[in-house]
Amino acid sequence: MARENLGVLNALDAAKTQMYHFTAIVIAGMGFFTDAYDLFTIPNVTKLLGRIYYTVEGAPKPGTLPPNVSAAVNGVALCGTLAGQLFFGWLGDKMGRKKVYGLTLALMVVSSIASGLSFGHTPKSVISTLCFFRFWLGFGIGGDYPLSATIMSEYANKRTRGAFIASVFAMQGFGILVGAVVSIIVATAFNHAYKAPSYAVNAAASLVPQADYVWRIILMFGAVPAALTYYWRMQMPETARYTALVAKNGKQAALDMSKVLQVEIIAEQEKVDAISIRDDNNFGLFSKEFARRHGLHLLGTCACWFLLDIAYYSSNLFQKDIYSNIGWLPPAKDMNAIQEVYKVARATALIALCGTVPVFMFALALPYNHWSQKSHRIGFLVMYALTFFFANFGPNSTTFVVPAEIFPARLRSTCHGISAAAGKAGAIIGAFGFLYASQDKDRTKRDAGYPAGIGMKNTLIVLAVVNCLGIFFTLLVPESNGKSLEELSRENEDEGGDEITEQQATTSRTVPV
C-alpha cells in the first residue's frame, strides 16, 4: 500500500522548470565536461609521447609507446575511475552528496595539473609519474559519476527528470570536442612557432624540444573548467531527499528547498520519523530484501553499462589507430611530431561533431576490406561517426540516467557507483583488449612489439556482438518515465499494510548502510 509522500518531495516532483534546474545542470554538467576532457584527451597525445620518449636514432619510423606502456597510459585513468566510482558512490550515501562533491572536483583539479607536470626527462620517470597522477585523476572523475547523476535526479521534477540527467551526461560530448579543439589550437600554435620538417626528411629535426610542452599544456587545461565551477558546487544545498530520507532531518530539508523553490514548505518531521522506523524500508545493500526488490535491477544496470563500455571505450581511445588503418592519417614518417598531434585531434573533433549501435558496427566490420581502401575511407568515416551518434543518443545516455532513478535514496549513490564501475570494468577490458586484438596477423602491418591479434575487422565484429548482448539485459530495467523516485524505489510503499503507531513513530532505529 502506497503512503503519502513528504511535502518537500512532492514540491520537488511537481515544481515547474525553473532557473535552479538549469543552474544544477551547469554545475553538475561542467564536472562531467571535465571528466570527458581528461579521459579522452590522452589519445591525442600518446603518439607524441611515443615520438619524444621512444624514438630510436636511425629507425625508419618515429617511436611509438611500447605495448605495456601504451596500455598503462591509456588504461590507468580507467582503473582509477572504477575505484573512485565505488568509493565515492558509497561515501555519497554515507556522508551526503554535497560534502563529497567538492572533494572529487578538487582532486580532479590537482591531478590534472600534476599530470602535465610529470617529473623528469627519462621515459621511465615521466611515464611513471604520468600514470600515477592519472590514476588519481581517474579516482576523482569516478566520484563525479554517481554524485552528479544522483544530485541531478534528486533536484529534478519527475516530468523532466530523465532529460535533466541526460543533459548532464551530454556534456561528455562537449568535453571530448573541446579536448580535440584545445589539442588543435596548441599544436597549431607550436607548429607555427617552431617550424620542423617531416620525419622522413630529417628525423632529428622533426622533433623540436618544445614539443614536450604540447602534451603537458593539453593535459593541464583540464583543470580550468573544474576550477571555475568549484565555488558554485560548494554553494549548492544538500538534496532534500538525502536530508529527509537518509539524514532524517525534515526541518532542514524543508528550509533548504524553500530557498531553492522560493515557496514556503512545511517541515514534516513526524512523517520523516515514521518513514525511518519501517522494517520494510530499512534493508541494506547485501540483504535478501534488496536482492528481492532490486537485485535484477542492479544486474541490468551493471550488465548494460559493462557491455556498452567494452565497445564504446575501445572505439574512443583507439580512434587514432583506426584512422591510421584506413589511411585517413598520413604515415607517421610523413609528419613532424606536432603535426601528428594536430591531425589526430582534427580527426577526433570531426567524429565528435558527428556524434554504438550493432547495426553500424556490423556495417563497418563485415565489409572492412572494402572500407579500408583509400577511395572508400569517407564512407567509413561517416559510418564510424554514426556509431558514436547512436551510442550517445541511446545506451550511453540511459546507462547513466537509469541507476540514478530506480534505487532507494540511502543506496542510490552506491548503486549508481557500482553500475558505473561495472561500465569501467568493461572499458578496461575494451581498452586493453582492443589494443592487442586489433593487431594484424601480418607482421609488417603490426605496431612494433605487439603479438599477432585477430585484426581490425574481426575485432569490430566482436564489439558488435557485445553490443547485441546488451539488448537483452535492458529487459531487466524498469521504465521510470512519469514516476517519482519514491515510487520507483518503493520507499513510500508499506508492504504489510499495517499502520505505524504514534509510539513507533517516536522510536529511533539505525539504518544499515
Side-chain angles (χ1 to χ4, degrees):
M1 182 177 69
R3 290 185 175 275
E4 183 183 355
N5 212 356
L6 292 171
V8 65
L9 305 187
N10 287 333
L12 282 168
D13 285 337
K16 294 181 180 179
T17 300
Q18 301 173 37
M19 183 55 67
Y20 84 88
H21 287 121
F22 296 106
T23 302
I25 289 173
V26 171
I27 294 172
M30 286 307 293
F32 220 73
F33 172 97
T34 306
D35 299 348
Y37 181 98
D38 289 330
L39 285 178
F40 293 111
T41 49
I42 198 68
N44 297 334
V45 300
T46 48
K47 285 184 177 290
L48 178 60
L49 290 170
R51 284 188 183 242
I52 294 173
Y53 298 108
Y54 292 93
T55 294
V56 177
E57 187 176 351
K61 295 180 181 180
T64 59
L65 296 178
N68 60 327
V69 174
S70 181
V73 169
N74 283 287
V76 70
L78 298 178
C79 296
T81 303
L82 187 154
Q85 286 165 336
L86 293 173
F87 176 73
F88 286 113
W90 167 79
L91 202 63
D93 284 333
K94 187 74 172 177
M95 295 179 58
R97 299 24 167 155
K98 179 187 174 181
K99 289 181 181 178
V100 183
Y101 212 25
L103 179 60
T104 62
L105 204 62
L107 187 57
M108 288 158 58
V109 171
V110 172
S111 299
S112 291
I113 296 172
S115 294
L117 297 176
S118 296
F119 313 121
H121 297 284
T122 65
K124 185 176 181 179
S125 62
V126 172
I127 297 300
S128 296
T129 53
L130 174 62
C131 289
F132 175 81
F133 290 123
R134 280 192 64 80
F135 174 86
W136 291 108
L137 174 64
F139 194 68
I141 288 171
D144 226 49
Y145 274 73
L147 293 171
S148 290
T150 299
I151 286 173
M152 197 65 247
S153 72
E154 293 182 346
Y155 263 102
N157 59 52
K158 64 181 181 181
R159 183 175 57 86
T160 57
R161 183 181 59 239
F164 287 158
I165 304 172
S167 296
V168 172
F169 187 78
M171 295 302 290
Q172 184 182 74
F174 289 104
I176 295 171
L177 177 60
V178 170
V181 171
V182 169
S183 301
I184 290 171
I185 292 172
V186 174
T188 301
F190 273 78
N191 196 44
H192 179 76
Y194 306 101
K195 298 291 185 181
S198 67
Y199 187 89
V201 173
N202 188 329
S206 70
L207 179 63
V208 296
Q210 292 80 6
D212 194 49
Y213 295 117
V214 172
W215 69 270
R216 296 176 186 273
I217 292 171
I218 292 170
L219 295 186
M220 285 194 290
F221 188 83
V224 175
L228 291 176
T229 55
Y230 182 81
Y231 171 78
W232 300 108
R233 187 172 283 200
M234 292 295 91
Q235 295 302 111
M236 293 179 71
E238 181 59 85
T239 69
R241 285 184 161 89
Y242 181 85
T243 304
L245 299 177
V246 183
K248 312 303 181 188
N249 191 335
K251 182 178 179 180
Q252 188 63 48
L255 181 63
D256 288 342
M257 292 306 105
S258 293
K259 293 177 181 178
V260 169
L261 298 175
Q262 297 182 340
V263 296
E264 185 178 353
I265 299 176
I266 300 173
E268 300 173 297
Q269 189 61 44
E270 296 80 6
K271 279 189 179 181
V272 172
D273 293 337
I275 291 172
S276 70
I277 68 160
R278 282 167 44 197
D279 286 327
D280 64 329
N281 216 18
N282 286 337
F283 54 85
L285 179 64
F286 300 106
S287 66
K288 291 182 179 180
E289 186 64 17
F290 178 87
R292 186 179 70 82
R293 289 195 186 191
H294 300 291
L296 289 178
H297 297 164
L298 187 59
L299 174 62
T301 57
C302 288
C304 288
W305 213 332
F306 173 80
L307 294 169
L308 170 72
D309 275 7
I310 290 177
Y312 186 75
Y313 276 81
S314 296
S315 300
N316 243 316
L317 290 176
F318 298 101
Q319 287 183 43
K320 62 187 187 305
D321 301 308
I322 294 174
Y323 302 150
S324 298
N325 278 16
I326 64 168
W328 195 26
L329 293 180
K333 63 184 178 62
D334 293 338
M335 298 178 283
N336 66 43
I338 298 175
Q339 283 176 333
E340 190 169 34
V341 175
Y342 169 81
K343 290 189 179 292
V344 170
R346 186 182 64 176
T348 302
L350 182 58
I351 295 299
L353 281 171
C354 298
T356 303
V357 296
V359 173
F360 289 102
M361 195 68 80
F362 276 123
L364 289 174
L366 296 177
Y368 184 75
N369 293 333
H370 168 82
W371 293 123
S372 61
Q373 297 174 24
K374 188 173 182 179
S375 59
H376 299 144
R377 64 188 180 190
I378 299 301
F380 177 93
L381 292 171
V382 171
M383 296 291 287
Y384 189 57
L386 286 172
T387 67
F388 283 98
F389 172 79
F390 282 100
N392 289 306
F393 183 77
N396 204 27
S397 297
T398 52
T399 50
F400 180 78
V401 172
V402 174
E405 296 184 309
I406 62 177
F407 299 107
R410 69 185 181 283
L411 300 172
R412 185 169 292 134
S413 180
T414 301
C415 290
H416 193 286
I418 293 171
S419 303
K424 283 301 168 287
I428 292 167
I429 291 173
F432 287 94
F434 188 93
L435 188 64
Y436 289 90
S438 61
Q439 297 298 319
D440 203 283
K441 295 179 181 178
D442 184 346
R443 182 182 296 274
T444 62
K445 296 180 180 180
R446 295 202 300 266
D447 293 333
Y450 286 85
I454 60 176
M456 186 66 74
K457 175 180 177 177
N458 291 330
T459 301
L460 290 173
I461 291 174
V462 170
L463 296 183
V465 171
V466 166
N467 282 337
C468 286
L469 290 175
I471 295 173
F472 300 102
F473 284 98
T474 61
L475 302 177
L476 300 178
V477 179
E479 175 56 60
S480 58
N481 186 37
K483 297 179 180 179
S484 72
L485 295 177
E486 287 66 47
E487 288 177 295
L488 286 165
S489 62
R490 295 164 62 183
E491 286 176 280
N492 63 350
E493 187 176 289
D494 181 13
E495 291 197 343
D498 298 328
E499 293 297 325
I500 297 175
T501 67
E502 184 177 350
Q503 183 179 4
Q504 286 176 313
T506 60
T507 305
S508 61
R509 183 172 297 169
T510 302
V511 180
V513 176

